Amino acid sequence: MVSLLSEASLQLRRQVLEKEFSRINDRQREAVFTVNGPLLVLAGAGSGKTTVLVNRIANLIRYGSAYQDTASQLSEQDIADMQEYLHHDTPLSEITRSHLAVSPVAPWHILAITFTNKAAGELKQRLANMLGEAGSQVWASTFHSSCARILRQFGDRLDYSTHFTIYDSDDSKRLMKNCLKELGVDEKILSCKVVLNEISRAKDTLTTPKAYQQAAGDDNRTATIARAYQMYQQHLKEADAMDFDDLISCTVQLLQENPDVLEHFQKKFRYIMVDEYQDTDHAQYVLIKLLAGTDGNLCVVGDDDQSIYKFRGATIENILSFEKTFPTAKTIRLEQNYRSTQTILNAANAVISNNKERKGKTLWTKNPVGSKIQTHTAINEQDEADYIGKQILEGVADGRKFSDYAILYRMNTQSSALEKNFVKSGIPYRIIGGLRFYERKEIRDMIAYLSVINNASDEMRLRRIINQPKRSIGDKTLAAASQIADQLGESVFYVIDHANEFEPLKRTAPKLLQFAHIMRGFMDMNESGSHTLKELYDKVLEDTNYIASLGNPANLEVQDRISNLRQLESNIQQYEEENGELASLDGFLQEVSLMTDIDNYDDKADTVVMMTMHSAKGLEFPVVFLPGFEDGIFPGVQAIYSPEQLEEERRLAYVAITRAREQLYILNAQSRMIFGSTNRNRPSRFLQEIPEELMEHTAARSWKQPKPGTALPVSSKEVREAAMESALHFGAPQSAQAHKALQFRPGDQVEHRAFGKGMVLSVTPMGNDHLLEIAFESKGTKRIMANFAHLKRA
DNA sequence: TAGGATTTAGTTTTT
DNA sequence: CTAAATCCTA
């Protein structure tokens, strides 16, 4: 069998494996072939870390440790095969491939943890593309959903049911409000936001209510928080619910207290990979360490320069001290950037080099130098928005797509000036963050119905829906029911279901019973198992008369709500299609509770996208605008006098700058209205940290008189309605507005608010919209989406 | 209890 | 300035 010396065999195998992974660079390949023991990959922005993760997993599954191992079982046929492959590009035979492998790893022994569903989804997708069936068997998911999955299996050890509810931040807030009320704490002195934040930090550091109380000592404030913490946890338990932080800390507790469970998962996850390691908090660190166990086949990928969630408990220490925690750890730096131009990278490097607390790395690229960074000083935020809008329209006229553009700001409030301008100029846009899909009232209401159907002891959500739509059941009644429930040790739902048996509820009993009756109907329907989730959802909508309760369907806001409810319906349907036999109400609710709207961000739609710099992490765009580079905005006021916070802001600047592939615009305004008062801010210090020669500066000359007839919507309500109207054009091809586009034909004379008069040259259908090519009298030929253009016939 | 009037608090937030 | 939370009255 063996016909080569093992040394020569290893050489040959290495050559073949290197060729197998020849599409990645040397550093990346080193990370891919380092399969055993702890590994730290310091991956700069745009250095292809997902590629490394995917290839590393592929290598584990296909070849195991063949690159390092000297064991060899190659036949002469194999060797001939390999030579052929190396010299003549003949594909390797499957047999040779299998002979090459040295202790290959089964996909189910691999755990890959990310922070966002989007990142997990991307990873899964790329694994499936590369490895097919085997790729889908890798456990790739977020911290939170991995933990939820573990807890559903072993939650009984912690006295939780297997269908516990996951509370989101809104639920937590409501619950904490109740706790503080119960404790008689004045929210003006100690707001529930502050308390929740404090508790979240406690959970991040694995501090139990008891330990927290002991640490509180004499301090009154802390002692109060300790009591609130205790009560909050108790209520969660009664509701069979966990908040986001509990998912992690309870999993840690489960593994620490149950050696058999720990062993089970240590055996299961023989290889662990963690993405965005710089964002892990202490609890997540402990969790990873527990799972990695003594084998320590742990590979973490991160970038200390992109740590921007310290305020949420992420501890940069985890990455800075990885080598100390795991003395045998190998560190690999990925510094070649594949995303941005040299100019953009130089700017990013220059800014971040002002930070003291960092491991230090310098990004470089083979990409072209690219155009200079455009800096622009606007007069105020409207002028700033105006400038951005103009640049986008010009770019689109030159052949760019709207989706090439992203605007990244420090605060969500900065979006409104942009929004107004874009509505005016007919620029299609989407805002990520702010009001999320799953935070909308109507969606939360329906989710609450489904939650109660799934878990009747969820009092919080029961309270949410019991009078929604209005059933004339008020606080008074609910408080009475809640008290009775406490005395009996039964759930509130039980009490409501038996309302006529309790004297204090006699008056409202018919209403309570009616509510209980319809809920029972839903619960029976769910338990019978003979209906789909979509049918259940439709039944809930119908029996509760929810849609009718929203009000006049002619109202745009009501229409928006209804379309959101339809969207939820199709999400449910999609979930059922994806999960087939395994689909369950429980499963859907869990998936939904861990979902955010970055996850719904689809890059296919051709619109400009706006979001905070934080949300943009991990994304990239050809052209990026960074408005509000002013001291006081970015860096924010709170950060200016704290060196630590300033460094975090600088990392955020680094993240923001490195989102751009080709062109970067940085803007500041001489004055800006913020929370109702006008501020004059100096240009951001970060701007001064970028070398002069990388930038080209312009400034607004004078305040232009708005032309008559170009009246803007004045209130944000009007803006929203106008935006909604535009949005409807997309969703409803049958609507009257959608036919507007069809009214335009080549040769039509039109007038655009920004470009003036022109003639339609061509009409191309695109999705539900139409792309118009228009020759303007003064501005040349532009391409514009009909539904967004607000064109008038001239 | 519902709905309108008034007050008040507003970085960032992968889950 | 704006949106949500709370207050107040019918």
Side-chain angles (χ1 to χ4, degrees), chain A residues 392 395-396 399-407 601 603 605-609 620-625 659-663:
Chain A
I392 293 174
V396 169
R400 278 218 187 265
K401 289 184 289 182
F402 285 111
S403 54
D404 287 347
Y405 295 91
I407 306 165
Y601 166 70
D603 30 23
D606 185 25
T607 69
V608 172
V609 53
E620 58 175 49
F621 308 91
V623 186
V624 168
F625 292 93
R659 294 313 96 196
R661 282 215 291 261
E662 299 161 25
Q663 177 70 64

Side-chain angles (χ1 to χ4, degrees), chain A residues 4 81 370 416 479 562 570 590 592 646 725 778:
Chain A
L4 278 177
D81 235 35
S416 65
I562 294 172
S570 74
Q590 189 196 305
V592 148
L646 195 64
E725 197 191 321
S778 50

Side-chain angles (χ1 to χ4, degrees), chain A residues 83-365:
Chain A
Q83 299 282 8
E84 276 290 299
Y85 172 68
L86 283 176
H87 303 300
H88 307 292
D89 254 351
T90 323
L92 280 181
S93 76
E94 276 307 313
I95 296 169
T96 306
R97 271 195 186 203
S98 66
H99 287 173
L100 254 160
V102 177
S103 46
V105 181
W108 52 88
H109 281 314
I110 300 173
L111 171 67
I113 299 189
T114 63
F115 273 82
T116 61
N117 297 308
K118 187 173 160 54
E122 220 171 276
L123 201 57
K124 270 185 215 156
Q125 189 61 55
R126 287 178 65 172
L127 283 171
N129 288 347
M130 195 158 175
L131 298 162
E133 179 60 25
S136 343
Q137 289 171 340
V138 173
W139 194 344
S141 64
T142 64
F143 266 104
H144 294 265
S145 47
S146 309
C147 287
R149 209 162 144 185
I150 291 173
L151 288 168
R152 276 159 152 273
Q153 213 178 330
F154 292 99
D156 54 322
R157 305 284 185 105
L158 298 172
D159 208 19
Y160 271 94
S161 81
T162 50
H163 53 260
F164 61 88
T165 302
I166 299 170
Y167 274 10
D168 64 23
S169 13
D170 189 70
D171 297 318
S172 300
K173 209 172 112 198
R174 279 158 177 267
L175 179 56
M176 183 50 73
K177 273 218 151 106
N178 294 340
C179 290
L180 292 180
K181 211 177 260 172
E182 222 173 303
L183 286 168
V185 175
D186 185 354
E187 277 222 44
K188 271 165 198 148
I189 294 157
L190 198 59
S191 75
C192 85
K193 211 179 157 186
V194 167
V195 179
L196 278 172
N197 217 24
E198 191 79 9
I199 291 176
S200 180
R201 290 298 79 73
K203 289 181 179 176
D204 289 347
T205 51
L206 299 172
T207 313
T208 60
K210 262 189 196 141
Y212 191 90
Q213 191 169 28
Q214 276 158 12
D218 294 338
D219 185 53
N220 214 323
R221 196 186 107 100
T222 325
T224 312
I225 296 174
R227 264 181 295 152
Y229 185 9
Q230 178 105 49
M231 182 179 283
Y232 174 79
Q233 286 310 115
Q234 196 190 319
H235 283 308
L236 278 175
K237 193 120 196 197
E238 281 162 8
D240 196 19
M242 292 194 196
D243 67 15
F244 289 141
D245 299 313
D246 284 336
L247 291 175
I248 313 290
S249 58
C250 288
T251 306
V252 169
Q253 192 194 342
L254 171 78
L255 297 177
Q256 282 174 338
E257 291 173 359
N258 299 277
D260 60 318
V261 180
L262 178 63
E263 203 194 324
H264 172 260
F265 284 107
Q266 282 181 341
K267 276 195 177 142
K268 178 163 176 55
F269 301 127
R270 292 181 39 218
Y271 289 84
I272 299 176
M273 268 155 268
V274 185
D275 194 12
E276 306 279 17
Y277 189 65
Q278 75 281 354
D279 292 330
T280 49
D281 58 36
H282 179 72
Q284 287 161 340
Y285 161 80
V286 173
L287 175 71
I288 290 301
K289 224 179 134 191
L290 278 169
L291 288 175
T294 43
D295 272 4
N297 287 325
L298 171 65
C299 165
V300 302
V301 184
D303 181 359
D304 49 318
D305 290 334
Q306 292 189 69
S307 159
I308 53 174
Y309 286 104
K310 203 175 174 183
F311 72 93
R312 258 186 103 247
T315 156
I316 199 167
E317 260 306 292
N318 286 349
I319 203 165
L320 294 177
S321 62
F322 187 81
E323 285 137 317
K324 255 181 255 162
T325 319
F326 302 95
T328 57
K330 181 167 177 180
T331 300
I332 295 172
R333 283 183 164 71
L334 302 181
E335 295 174 307
Q336 180 176 1
N337 173 293
Y338 293 94
R339 181 188 294 153
S340 311
T341 64
Q342 281 177 34
T343 304
I344 290 165
L345 277 188
N346 289 346
N349 280 333
V351 170
I352 198 67
S353 69
N354 289 285
N355 269 8
K356 305 238 151 34
E357 287 295 317
R358 57 190 293 253
K359 288 240 170 198
K361 67 187 146 24
T362 307
L363 292 184
W364 60 277
T365 185

